[in-house]
Amino acid sequence: MSADTHVVILAAGQGTRMKSRLPKVLHSVAGRPMIEHVLLTAESISPATMTLIVGHGGDVLRERLAGRPNVRFAVQEPQLGTAHALQQAEAHLAGQKGTLVLLSGDVPLLTASTLGRLIGTHQAAGAAATVVTAIVERPYGYGRIVRTKGRIARIVEERDASAHARQIREINSGIYAFDLAPLFDALRGIASQNAQGEFYLTDLIAIYRRRKLPVETLIVDDAEEIRGVNSRAELAEVSRIVRQRKNEELMAAGVTLVDPATTYVDMDVEIGVDTVIHPGVVIEGQTKIGSGCEIQGSVRIRDSEIADRVTIHNFCLIIGARVADGASIGPFAHLRPETVVGEKAKVGNFVELKKTSMGPGSKANHLTYLGDATIGARVNVGAGTITCNYDGVAKHATIIEDGAFIGSDSQLIAPVRIGKGAYVGAGSSITEDVPDGALGIARGRQSNVDGWVERKKGSAQTKTAPAKT
Ligand code: UD1
Ligand code: CA
């Protein structure tokens, strides 16, 4: 922990341009709310304290971050601008010395290494303030860095900039390091005479220069890192960048992405070497995939664990499931939460599994629903089998023991148990347990009526007008 480094994150703004009911910083970027990206980066420098400035949607934010006791909250109400926002942290930081790193909740791509460099540059120079900047092709929307004799003189906001200043391509990232000593006193000197009538933190730079306090800049090489998210279009852009980074990481680590442009992998996903991911695959949340797997096109996997050498054929949806080594899933399979598919088991097309475990080597190859079922090893579940697990009030369990054989088009009306090695005759509606090694058969007995067709034709000819059906 750096005892003399503190982090403040601004996240009180309304995010008007998002046109959303959700606070802007809770919008998801590659499977993680924007604010989580910022917090993770902040944690990389082990600050003594982290303070989040909240206003709009503050309660929702507190709730979502309840699992992070290291985050303190300060409320900004009303929201009078970025300088006013930072002032709300004063009470939390009273009496502290050292460096305050200011981050923006809506700048989620900043890397830990840049943050480390910011603190390094700032402290080495003994600066009162260090501003992270970038030189970009399209500076539109950002504050511009005005330099005199090469040194930063002030920052002008887009709305307040002259036509001349608008040509400046060096932009303010909204990320700074400050020496705590002069900071809060100087903030009180900021006025709100600008296009938005807000207290701009950016005005601090000119104030510091007037007071002869040293101000530094850190120009980042990769301007994408400091992209801010103000609109849904920017959210999509930033998400694309995060995905691209993730895909590059995966490929560098030995994963084949047949078409990275159409492969959507969330930040926290892990994938083993020699796994091949085909186009149109979406892998979300806390998913782990082993090595040597093949995930064919148009598959979505969320919060699941896929072991090694698993094949997932096209068009599967897998959520909250575990799939063991060498299993084969799909095409068109749906694995729902709490499903466990054993080693070398096969789940074929149009098969849905919910809260069901299937033992090693078992198969359900076609058109089947298995819910609340515990299925042993080497079980064969025939086409069209359905566990009737719901009676309209409660869910009931089905147990199928090792080596059992369920004939096609059977309904297993739960609660029910099919014993070890037992058979269920095709087309059965099983309502009672089938003992080990027994055959359970429960269907209408077939009877054939000889000559019935001929007789029917004969009777039709005697009618004058056929009845309409
Ligand atoms: C700000 C900077 C701009 C910089 C850009 C980088 C100012 C005046 N402008 O502009 O120079 O190029 O960021 O992305 O600082 N916030 C509050 N309370 C407020 C207002 C804002 O907490 O009263 C928070 C917002 O929630 C957001 C951050 O501060 O997380 C930045 O505010 P925003 O309105 O997005 O500023 P920009 O116009 O992007
Ligand atoms: Ca912004």
Side-chain angles (χ1 to χ4, degrees):
M1 188 176 85
S2 319
D4 59 350
T5 305
H6 302 267
V7 169
V8 172
I9 303 170
L10 303 189
Q14 188 167 10
T16 320
R17 290 163 277 182
M18 292 294 284
K19 302 205 167 69
S20 176
R21 292 196 186 98
L22 191 69
K24 175 163 77 176
V25 298
L26 285 180
H27 280 262
S28 173
V29 169
R32 224 189 247 159
M34 235 188 290
I35 190 68
E36 288 280 355
H37 289 260
V38 179
L39 288 169
L40 280 170
T41 308
E43 278 167 351
S44 72
I45 57 167
S46 309
T49 66
M50 288 204 286
T51 307
L52 191 63
I53 312 295
V54 298
H56 275 279
D59 292 341
V60 187
L61 259 163
R62 269 175 213 265
E63 212 173 280
R64 289 287 289 273
L65 297 176
R68 285 182 169 274
N70 57 341
V71 178
R72 313 173 181 189
F73 294 87
V75 179
Q76 184 199 17
E77 191 69 58
Q79 291 82 34
L80 301 178
T82 45
H84 178 251
L86 176 54
Q87 282 179 300
Q88 312 312 310
E90 185 171 4
H92 281 288
L93 295 168
Q96 300 285 354
K97 286 197 184 62
T99 304
L100 184 151
V101 173
L102 185 76
L103 304 177
S104 233
D106 65 349
V107 182
L109 298 183
L110 184 77
T111 60
S113 91
T114 298
L115 196 52
R117 278 174 61 215
L118 169 63
I119 293 167
T121 307
H122 176 76
Q123 291 177 349
T130 304
V131 186
V132 178
T133 74
I135 295 160
V136 298
E137 283 305 317
R138 289 179 296 136
Y140 176 77
Y142 291 93
R144 308 296 208 285
I145 306 296
V146 179
R147 290 181 181 266
T148 49
K149 293 182 194 150
R151 299 203 62 81
I152 183 169
R154 58 199 170 89
I155 302 175
V156 270
E157 289 305 298
E158 167 96 22
R159 294 174 202 243
D160 304 294
S162 62
H164 179 69
R166 282 183 196 204
Q167 302 299 313
I168 298 171
R169 285 170 42 228
E170 187 179 4
I171 58 158
N172 171 27
S173 66
I175 293 158
Y176 319 80
F178 294 113
D179 176 10
L180 272 164
L183 180 65
F184 289 105
D185 180 49
L187 284 176
R188 279 185 274 276
I190 291 176
S192 60
Q193 268 95 41
N194 51 53
Q196 295 200 95
E198 285 188 0
F199 296 91
Y200 286 167
L201 178 58
T202 44
D203 287 352
L204 193 71
I205 304 306
I207 293 176
Y208 274 12
R209 290 303 309 271
R210 272 204 300 279
R211 294 189 185 181
K212 305 269 187 285
L213 290 168
V215 181
E216 285 295 323
T217 54
L218 173 70
I219 307 179
V220 293
D221 300 326
D222 180 5
E224 294 202 321
E225 255 194 63
I226 59 159
R227 265 179 196 258
V229 175
N230 294 314
S231 63
R232 307 252 182 180
E234 285 167 342
L235 180 70
E237 269 292 284
V238 158
S239 301
R240 187 187 56 75
I241 294 166
V242 175
R243 279 200 308 272
Q244 200 174 316
R245 275 189 194 169
K246 177 72 182 183
N247 286 353
E248 278 162 14
E249 250 171 54
L250 289 170
M251 290 188 285
V255 178
T256 295
L257 305 182
V258 174
D259 180 19
T262 62
T263 305
Y264 296 72
V265 183
D266 280 356
M267 297 280 297
D268 298 332
V269 170
E270 292 171 27
I271 306 179
V273 295
D274 287 329
T275 285
V276 178
I277 316 268
H278 290 265
V281 169
V282 180
I283 307 175
E284 300 172 332
Q286 309 295 313
T287 295
K288 276 199 183 110
I289 296 179
S291 60
C293 294
E294 176 147 354
I295 318 287
Q296 294 181 346
S298 306
V299 163
R300 177 167 167 240
I301 306 173
R302 178 173 197 90
D303 297 330
S304 295
E305 265 178 56
I306 313 292
D308 300 334
R309 293 176 302 283
V310 171
T311 303
I312 300 176
H313 297 271
N314 305 77
F315 306 108
C316 290
L317 174 60
I318 299 177
I319 295 179
R322 278 194 288 138
V323 179
D325 288 354
S328 168
I329 311 292
F332 298 101
H334 185 186
L335 305 187
R336 293 169 53 198
E338 293 179 61
T339 287
V340 180
V341 178
E343 261 179 55
K344 296 201 172 131
K346 283 180 81 176
V347 174
N349 42 197
F350 307 106
V351 174
E352 174 182 344
L353 266 60
K354 190 221 77 173
K355 209 173 177 179
T356 284
S357 67
M358 227 172 134
S362 288
K363 294 176 187 165
N365 274 334
H366 335 263
L367 301 156
T368 287
Y369 171 64
L370 300 168
D372 304 291
T374 306
I375 299 169
R378 300 175 317 282
V379 167
N380 195 319
V381 178
T385 298
I386 293 170
T387 53
C388 307
N389 58 331
Y390 186 50
D391 58 13
V393 181
K395 300 280 165 69
H396 301 283
T398 299
I399 294 167
I400 306 177
E401 308 257 20
D402 293 351
F405 182 100
I406 314 299
S408 296
D409 195 27
S410 293
Q411 302 99 56
L412 307 176
I413 299 169
V416 72
R417 167 191 295 264
I418 312 299
K420 234 180 209 160
Y423 268 59
V424 166
S428 290
S429 292
I430 298 291
T431 52
E432 280 159 41
D433 292 356
V434 180
D436 292 357
L439 165 68
I441 186 155
R443 64 184 183 220
R445 194 172 272 280
Q446 179 171 343
S447 60
N448 295 337
V449 182
D450 287 333
W452 182 87
V453 177
E454 273 308 311
R455 284 204 299 282
K456 179 178 166 67
K457 281 184 186 157
S459 74
Q461 275 160 12
T462 62
K463 281 189 186 153
T464 46
K468 275 189 187 162
T469 52

